[in-house]
Amino acid sequence: MQQSQRLSAILERLTADGSVGVVELAHALDVSAATVRRDLHLLESQRLLNRTHGGAVPQGVLYELPLRYKSARQATEKRRIAAEAASRVGESWAIGLGGGMTTTEVARALVDRPQLTIVTNALNIASEIAVRPNLKLVVTGGVARLESYELVGPIAEASLEGLNLDMVFMSVDGISARAHLTTHHEVEAGTDRALIARADRVTVVADSSKIGKITFARICALDQVDELITDEGADPGEVAALQEQGLIVT
């Protein structure tokens, strides 16, 4: 098992049980106790947990752990993508934000803007926007998905009807010339489509690991997207294939 897989497994167990032990983890992950201690030390250095005698406990709120770990990976690229995306936003616009770590960074890049309206189905984004008096927050209804902290399904989609958004920023699990925009979950794809349908302009924000990747459920076709903003690590061949289909890639 690779280290990234072990770290994810440790955080998942920590979220489920509220604490972890070195001996139990070593047995479950089929590694040595020394390896587990090194992994715990790394996670502690990222402020994701606190070490205890023989194990660890969470640092902060339990539900935040998977999101905080994901955000630590490719964090610099995501922030640069978000800064570029935020530069597209005009004064007093209504902005839609789908769930995902890159759209979360977009939200953070917009928090000091005056008089924006933020519409989102992402619980973690809503929690950060709600305390900002300069922003108007609209949160959809829907069923919460533990994996992504998004509100999805028919209730979420119905709550978007009648809204008009200047721009939507969308994270994806994959974007390719062959399969277009995709995500891991079919219900999430439906809610993403409903959000996209309300926007005058759609911008996908995705780090290079998503470019050329194909996942289970199609969100929409490339011709429903105005721009993709990604980082310089994106495969040039995949980028060229997207541009050949008319997509603007920054």
Side-chain angles (χ1 to χ4, degrees):
M1 181 181 290
Q2 295 180 347
Q3 186 185 50
S4 61
Q5 295 173 309
R6 293 198 309 273
L7 298 179
S8 293
I10 290 169
L11 291 177
E12 288 170 5
R13 187 174 291 251
L14 192 58
T15 302
D17 298 341
S19 64
V20 292
V22 171
V23 175
E24 293 81 2
L25 283 173
H27 178 74
L29 301 176
D30 194 26
V31 295
S32 68
T35 296
V36 171
R37 291 189 186 96
R38 285 194 295 271
D39 289 344
L40 293 178
H41 178 75
L42 175 59
L43 291 170
E44 184 178 46
S45 71
Q46 296 175 352
R47 298 184 179 180
L48 294 170
L49 54 76
N50 290 321
R51 296 285 304 279
T52 63
H53 180 69
V57 295
Q59 183 182 100
V61 184
L62 280 173
Y63 80 82
E64 294 179 334
L65 287 176
L67 283 174
R68 288 167 65 193
Y69 174 59
K70 290 177 184 177
S71 68
R73 295 177 295 177
Q74 295 180 299
T76 301
E77 291 87 347
K78 292 177 191 296
R79 284 194 293 269
R80 291 181 65 196
I81 291 167
E84 182 69 20
S87 72
R88 308 289 193 268
V89 175
E91 184 177 349
S92 302
W93 278 15
I95 302 297
L97 293 171
M101 292 318 306
T102 311
T103 46
T104 299
E105 292 295 341
V106 174
R108 290 168 179 163
L110 293 173
V111 293
D112 294 324
R113 299 285 187 91
Q115 298 181 325
L116 292 181
T117 297
I118 304 296
V119 178
T120 187
N121 67 321
L123 293 170
N124 65 302
I125 292 176
S127 69
E128 296 198 24
I129 297 297
V131 297
R132 303 287 179 169
N134 55 306
L135 300 176
K136 178 181 178 180
L137 172 66
V138 178
V139 184
T140 71
V143 177
R145 288 197 68 228
L146 176 63
E147 297 86 350
S148 63
Y149 301 100
E150 290 179 87
L151 299 169
V152 299
I155 298 173
E157 293 158 26
S159 66
L160 291 166
E161 293 181 5
L163 301 182
N164 297 300
L165 304 174
D166 294 290
M167 181 173 283
V168 160
F169 293 105
M170 187 66 56
S171 290
V172 295
D173 293 317
I175 180 169
S176 69
R178 181 162 70 88
H180 302 212
L181 277 64
T182 58
T183 186
H184 290 299
H185 196 273
E186 69 279 2
V187 177
E188 188 175 303
T191 302
D192 288 345
R193 280 194 295 273
L195 188 58
I196 287 169
R198 308 313 309 163
D200 286 340
R201 186 173 180 83
V202 177
T203 299
V204 172
V205 286
D207 67 67
S208 56
S209 69
K210 311 297 176 57
I211 310 306
K213 187 176 180 180
I214 298 173
T215 57
F216 177 65
R218 178 163 162 166
I219 299 170
C220 70
L222 288 174
D223 62 11
Q224 292 181 260
V225 177
D226 296 285
E227 183 181 15
L228 164 66
I229 302 177
T230 187
D231 62 79
E232 294 178 342
D235 180 85
E238 296 289 350
V239 169
L242 292 168
Q243 291 173 322
E244 286 173 5
Q245 295 207 26
L247 181 63
I248 297 171
V249 181
T250 300

